[in-house]
Amino acid sequence: YWILFESGFLLLPAMSTKLDDLPTPCFCIRLTQLTKNCQKLHDIAKANNKTLRPHIKSHKTLEIAKMQVEGVESPAFIVSTLAEAKLLVAAGYKDVLWALPIDTRKLSAVHELIKKYQCKIHFFVDHEQQIEAISQFVQSKQATSETANFSAFLKIDCGYHRCGVPYDDEDRSVQIAKQLATTEGISFEGIYSHSGHTYNQKREDVIRIAGEERDNISLFCNKLNEMGITVKHVSVGATPQCSLQGFDWGNKVTELHAGNYIFYDRQQHMTGSCDKDEISCFVLARVLSHYKDRNRISIDAGALALFKDVPELEGYAEVVGMEDCVVLYSVSQEVGLLRPKREGETLPFDKLPIGSTIQLLPNHCCLTAALHPVYHVVDSNGMVVDHWNPCRGWC
């Protein structure tokens, strides 16, 4: 059947078709494992007596969002774009955190969504000028007899050094928290740390970084409490540390956040977040040609099907079932090239005939998924049982 995109029509195969009949390259999801991954993080959060606030940036679909909060009485989400926030609130979800320091030019769009859907859309604040701009927006609405109310998390940097106020810069971080707690039109929801530097780490380093994040944000929370500032939520995470079984997050942390866990990938496997069979996504590609003179095989999955992240891994993806003898060593825009894993060996041309399909485990699932306009959902028998359409764009 056909699916309509703004750029035109895309022909999709009928439901319950065989995997090999899909047009390639394409992004596929193993439904059974996806379901297990969603449950895994729920169980870890529950064992810690914490709330799980799942991120939808890795998948950007309502179908998986629903699975992430299955059985949760008051579901809460994280998003990376305004488009993702719109997707959720339009579907009836009422608690969404836009996990970026607010671009104050978008306050009007956030305000209109809050009014239209009677929901909460929180955002990050990590600079005094943001608070001043929010205050000015609120006052401008008051001047026209309209009420504007926003809610914000103070973004704390506990070591990642991407966004956030350093937790140990007490003068500035405490002052911004005071401003958030006392500025009219802003509800101070809590403090948030994302220790994304657990990616590309060994398991022992993930445990160390998780402990540092827990301890540092807890100390900062205590500091605010001592000054009479109420902190409703203390949110920490990233998939590597949230996937740790039996880790003690202490009594100050209230919620864990993660997003990659629904799919996992080679990078997460390297970090120890998952077993390889827990990776629930793959890119289906097709063998284009053989080059026996130079011992190479070409496939139809290049950089625009896989992305080009190679985080301390061999190759741009792993060829399922042939990881011990084949490496995807080169990708151009639309073509990938396979070579033997070890010098002097010959590629198994007989096992990779021209026109056959191969499955590729991505290095970084979030970026790989973002390259595909549709996800093909596969059951345990290898049959395609659904097609899911992620939202795209930023606004």
Side-chain angles (χ1 to χ4, degrees):
Y1 63 92
W2 296 89
I3 183 167
L4 176 63
F5 290 95
E6 290 184 8
S7 57
F9 288 93
L10 175 68
L11 179 63
L12 295 179
M15 301 295 186
S16 297
T17 192
K18 293 179 180 179
L19 190 60
D20 283 354
D21 293 334
L22 288 173
T24 56
C26 61
F27 189 84
C28 299
I29 298 171
R30 296 192 294 129
L31 181 59
T32 300
Q33 189 57 52
L34 173 71
T35 304
K36 290 179 180 178
N37 291 351
C38 290
Q39 187 60 48
K40 173 181 175 178
L41 263 286
H42 272 296
D43 291 344
I44 290 173
K46 186 177 180 180
N48 266 278
N49 196 30
K50 310 300 181 192
T51 300
L52 177 65
R53 185 186 284 269
H55 210 312
I56 77 161
K57 72 178 181 69
S58 300
H59 60 84
K60 302 174 186 277
T61 67
L62 282 177
E63 290 87 352
I64 300 179
K66 182 179 179 181
M67 295 171 69
Q68 287 178 294
V69 295
E70 189 72 37
V72 176
E73 186 174 340
S74 301
F77 288 98
I78 306 176
V79 300
S80 284
T81 66
L82 195 57
E84 294 166 20
K86 289 178 181 178
L87 179 75
L88 292 175
V89 298
Y93 293 109
K94 300 297 185 183
D95 190 337
V96 176
L97 169 58
W98 187 7
L100 288 177
I102 184 65
D103 172 4
T104 54
R105 285 168 290 274
K106 295 177 181 175
L107 285 171
S108 181
V110 174
H111 174 61
E112 291 303 318
L113 285 175
I114 292 170
K115 281 200 309 178
K116 181 177 181 179
Y117 294 105
Q118 296 296 297
C119 60
K120 287 184 178 181
I121 300 179
H122 321 287
F123 45 71
F124 287 163
V125 165
D126 63 1
H127 200 282
E128 299 86 345
Q129 289 185 15
Q130 296 157 353
I131 301 175
E132 293 167 8
I134 297 166
S135 180
Q136 290 172 8
F137 182 90
V138 170
Q139 291 172 25
S140 71
K141 290 298 180 182
Q142 290 175 341
T144 60
S145 300
E146 184 178 350
T147 300
N149 292 298
F150 296 104
S151 56
F153 280 72
L154 175 59
K155 180 68 164 63
I156 297 297
D157 177 13
C158 285
Y160 189 24
H161 305 321
R162 182 174 67 181
C163 297
V165 187
Y167 77 95
D168 54 356
D169 183 356
E170 288 193 8
D171 290 342
R172 185 155 173 261
S173 56
V174 170
Q175 182 57 37
I176 294 177
K178 281 183 180 179
Q179 282 184 264
L180 279 174
T182 58
T183 299
E184 184 179 5
I186 305 177
S187 171
F188 177 39
E189 290 295 314
I191 54 181
Y192 182 108
S193 166
H194 178 75
S195 289
H197 51 307
T198 51
Y199 282 55
N200 298 330
Q201 302 287 343
K202 300 301 182 184
R203 183 175 175 82
E204 57 269 24
D205 293 316
V206 172
I207 295 171
R208 174 183 56 79
I209 292 169
E212 292 171 354
E213 181 179 34
R214 174 200 61 206
D215 296 344
N216 292 338
I217 203 167
S218 296
L219 286 171
F220 184 70
C221 180
N222 287 336
K223 181 70 174 179
L224 296 184
N225 291 158
E226 290 169 4
M227 300 185 70
I229 300 174
T230 300
V231 182
K232 300 177 188 175
H233 305 288
V234 178
S235 186
V236 299
T239 287
Q241 57 266 50
C242 288
S243 296
L244 291 171
Q245 301 277 0
F247 184 79
D248 182 5
W249 284 103
N251 58 10
K252 285 296 180 181
V253 171
T254 63
E255 68 177 34
L256 307 179
H257 56 256
N260 178 292
Y261 72 94
I262 47 102
F263 291 146
Y264 286 128
D265 50 37
R266 293 183 74 204
Q267 182 176 236
Q268 294 293 340
H269 176 246
M270 179 192 74
T271 303
S273 305
C274 65
D275 294 330
K276 191 177 292 185
D277 62 7
E278 289 183 286
I279 299 174
S280 67
C281 65
F282 61 90
V283 170
L284 188 72
R286 202 170 297 275
V287 174
L288 295 177
S289 193
H290 291 173
Y291 310 97
K292 294 186 178 180
D293 60 313
R294 53 186 182 272
N295 202 17
R296 297 292 187 265
I297 289 175
S298 61
I299 63 173
D300 65 355
L304 292 187
L306 294 165
F307 203 68
K308 296 187 77 170
D309 266 9
V310 189
E312 299 183 23
L313 295 165
E314 185 178 31
Y316 292 94
E318 182 176 295
V319 183
V320 175
M322 296 191 176
E323 56 270 22
D324 292 333
C325 60
V326 174
V327 174
L328 176 59
Y329 78 100
S330 174
V331 290
S332 54
Q333 183 167 320
E334 303 294 353
V335 174
L337 290 175
L338 307 179
R339 65 163 172 80
K341 187 176 181 69
R342 288 167 288 274
E343 189 174 349
E345 295 186 349
T346 301
L347 281 173
F349 291 100
D350 57 327
K351 295 181 180 178
L352 294 167
I354 293 174
S356 64
T357 58
I358 58 174
Q359 297 179 19
L360 303 170
L361 298 183
N363 290 346
H364 190 172
C365 67
C366 310
L367 296 173
T368 299
L371 297 170
H372 294 265
V374 62
Y375 305 154
H376 302 280
V377 185
V378 181
D379 68 11
S380 56
N381 296 315
M383 301 297 290
V384 180
V385 295
D386 211 344
H387 306 289
W388 295 340
N389 309 120
C391 74
R392 290 290 180 248
W394 290 266
C395 297

